[in-house]
Amino acid sequence: MSGPIVLGIETSCDETGVAVVEGSVVRSSVLGSQVDLHARFGGVVPEVAARAHVEAIRPLVHQALTAAGIHSDQLDAVAATRGPGLAGALMVGFGFGKALAWSLRKPFYGIDHMEGHLFAPRLEFPDYEPPAVVLLASGGHSQIVHVARWGVYETLGRTIDDAAGEAFDKLARFLGLGYPGGPAIDRESEGGDPDAIRFPRALADRPFDFSFSGLKTAVVTFLEKAKREGTLPSRADVAASIQEAIVDVLVDKTFNAVEATGVDAVGGGGGVLANRRLRTRLAEEAERRGVRLFVPAPRLCTDNGAMIAAVAVQRIEAGVPPTPWPEDVDPGLSLG
Ligand code: KG4
Ligand code: ZN
């Protein structure tokens, strides 16, 4: 009764994620982080990422199977991220997963990375079911999706420029907080006042869309002026105010979508959903409106293999045929 056993592989960016999921239970989940490799460049270098995935993938698959106490023969399927992401990085996990499935004579599922984020809450909340509105915010994408049922997605709104995670990363670099920026701003904000500086909230006239590129200009202009006038606030106050500006918009627009669709369930996925202020604000707003909130633990919000396996589990249970063998990665894949 526990459901299919799937090995999930995620290599769309700078984390090699491998997991074994049985039904909705994560039997093992291992991660090979490349953060140290990319930190000195201040961002992810595609060629460096692909090469690091090549080195990490085989031992991590072995480690995931061992930790789960599963022999590869017992797998019902192998799944890997097909896109969106860095082409070279995607090819490593997708190619490895496909070859493994082929050699084991098991079905192979190529999975949309953002659908993985959308499914991650299922691994923690058995009652997370559509219809729902889901906020997806990562380093490359930010969107609000209406899920009518699994597999049927309508993107209600998205960023018209930078992704939310990208905004965190760029602004952290500007403040000298290093890479990756999201966790750094999250930490720095701890001692800061979120209301110290009122940075602009863009696109107030578009209920579900985001724009974050103007925020950086606003922060730069503000700090230059403050420096000239000798009124420079603390870095913690600046970080907390930046975080608040991003979080405000994400929360507002998510609940605009909840109101417009009339759903009573809100999900969240993607690295930015690891942000503590965002998690608190979403919880407060959900409570106030009497809707159910499904945001999983931070380790399931950031990239991981379990979320990829979770989508494949649902595909198998719904009788969806596997990905045809000739299919390749699609770096520009887009949900809905
Ligand atoms: O989903 P993810 O792990 O990888 C992509 O698919 O891009 O998201 C990574 C993004 C990065 O931009 C990172 O700075 C951001 O998520 N992030 C955070 C936090 N943890 C990761 N942003 C804000 N607060 C955090 N605690
Ligand atoms: Zn992601």
Side-chain angles (χ1 to χ4, degrees), residues 42-226:
V44 178
V45 183
E47 287 78 9
V48 174
R51 206 167 329 147
H53 285 307
V54 170
E55 280 168 21
I57 187 89
R58 220 177 57 84
L60 283 172
V61 167
H62 181 73
Q63 205 181 317
L65 287 168
T66 307
I70 293 279
H71 190 271
S72 53
D73 285 346
Q74 292 169 270
L75 294 171
D76 292 299
V78 178
T81 305
R82 201 178 143 229
L86 305 169
L90 287 166
M91 278 195 267
V92 178
F94 193 82
F96 191 93
K98 201 196 269 189
L100 180 65
W102 175 268
S103 67
L104 294 168
R105 300 178 200 283
K106 308 277 182 184
F108 173 73
Y109 287 87
I111 303 296
D112 183 312
H113 177 83
M114 296 312 285
E115 194 176 10
H117 281 310
L118 196 149
F119 263 73
R122 276 200 112 189
L123 297 166
E124 210 171 289
F125 306 102
D127 51 338
Y128 170 60
E129 287 288 340
V133 157
V134 186
L135 170 65
L136 299 176
S138 67
H141 299 82
S142 292
Q143 60 197 115
I144 294 174
V145 181
H146 176 244
V147 183
R149 51 179 200 278
W150 297 127
V152 180
Y153 310 121
E154 185 193 359
T155 296
L156 299 174
R158 55 164 39 114
T159 181
I160 60 163
D161 40 56
D162 293 351
E166 196 178 350
F168 272 112
D169 293 337
K170 282 183 179 172
L171 282 155
R173 200 178 314 152
F174 178 69
L175 294 182
L177 289 170
Y179 164 88
I185 290 193
D186 194 335
R187 269 193 309 275
E188 183 73 21
S189 299
E190 230 167 276
D193 173 7
D195 301 317
I197 310 144
R198 174 85 191 172
F199 289 121
R201 276 68 166 160
L203 291 192
D205 54 329
R206 287 165 64 166
F208 315 129
D209 290 325
F210 314 117
S211 165
F212 295 112
S213 68
L215 183 59
K216 180 159 181 213
T217 319
V219 173
V220 173
T221 313
F222 171 86
L223 290 178
E224 277 169 356
K225 183 159 175 277

Side-chain angles (χ1 to χ4, degrees), residues 217-294:
T217 319
V219 173
V220 173
T221 313
F222 171 86
L223 290 178
E224 277 169 356
K225 183 159 175 277
K227 207 169 175 182
R228 269 198 315 273
E229 295 171 352
T231 56
L232 212 54
S234 73
R235 192 161 72 169
D237 278 354
V238 178
S241 300
I242 289 171
Q243 178 172 269
E244 199 66 5
I246 298 175
V247 166
D248 250 355
V249 175
L250 293 174
V251 173
D252 277 1
K253 309 244 161 161
T254 300
F255 285 94
N256 284 346
V258 170
E259 214 167 283
T261 55
V263 300
D264 77 340
V266 179
V272 176
L273 274 293
N275 184 270
R276 287 174 294 170
R277 182 69 179 153
L278 177 58
R279 298 169 73 91
T280 304
R281 292 279 312 280
L282 285 171
E284 285 170 357
E285 199 56 29
E287 162 113 41
R288 203 173 66 76
R289 293 171 184 252
V291 303
R292 297 168 301 145
L293 181 69
F294 303 99

